[in-house]
Amino acid sequence: MCRYRQWPAMPGPHPITESQPMKKTPRKLSRELAWIIGIKVVLLLIIWKAFVAPNHVHVDAASVADNMLDAAQASQHLEKNNAR
């Protein structure tokens, strides 16, 4: 008795062996991938220019110092409350 069961062949053309062979050469594939990546980069730049670039954040030294001092005071306040 056979140890492995052999399945009958499927009727019609087999999709892997009898289909069209791959016709893309590495050069064509590289060119196609370069086009796709190029289009994605252009689209990302357009999205960045439309939504991110117009929004400028103005930061000055005084506001940064105030925010840092507020954070330091808040952490000292929390430490005093947790020490109880």
Side-chain angles (χ1 to χ4, degrees):
M1 183 168 197
C2 183
R3 226 177 176 176
Y4 302 103
R5 180 177 177 161
Q6 295 188 2
W7 299 95
M10 294 179 64
H14 194 270
I16 296 175
T17 58
E18 296 180 19
S19 66
Q20 301 251 344
M22 288 180 52
K23 292 185 178 181
K24 291 193 179 196
T25 61
R27 184 179 176 129
K28 287 182 182 180
L29 182 62
S30 299
R31 190 178 324 136
E32 188 174 317
L33 288 173
W35 273 105
I36 291 170
I37 291 171
I39 290 170
K40 285 184 177 185
V41 167
V42 169
L43 289 174
L44 283 172
L45 285 174
I46 290 171
I47 290 170
W48 184 81
K49 285 279 189 180
F51 298 106
V52 177
N55 301 321
H56 295 286
V57 178
H58 300 288
V59 179
D60 60 342
S63 65
V64 172
D66 289 340
N67 285 335
M68 292 180 81
L69 289 174
D70 289 341
Q73 289 173 355
S75 68
Q76 287 176 357
H77 180 70
L78 285 175
E79 287 175 5
K80 287 180 184 177
N81 287 341
N82 288 337
R84 292 181 191 172

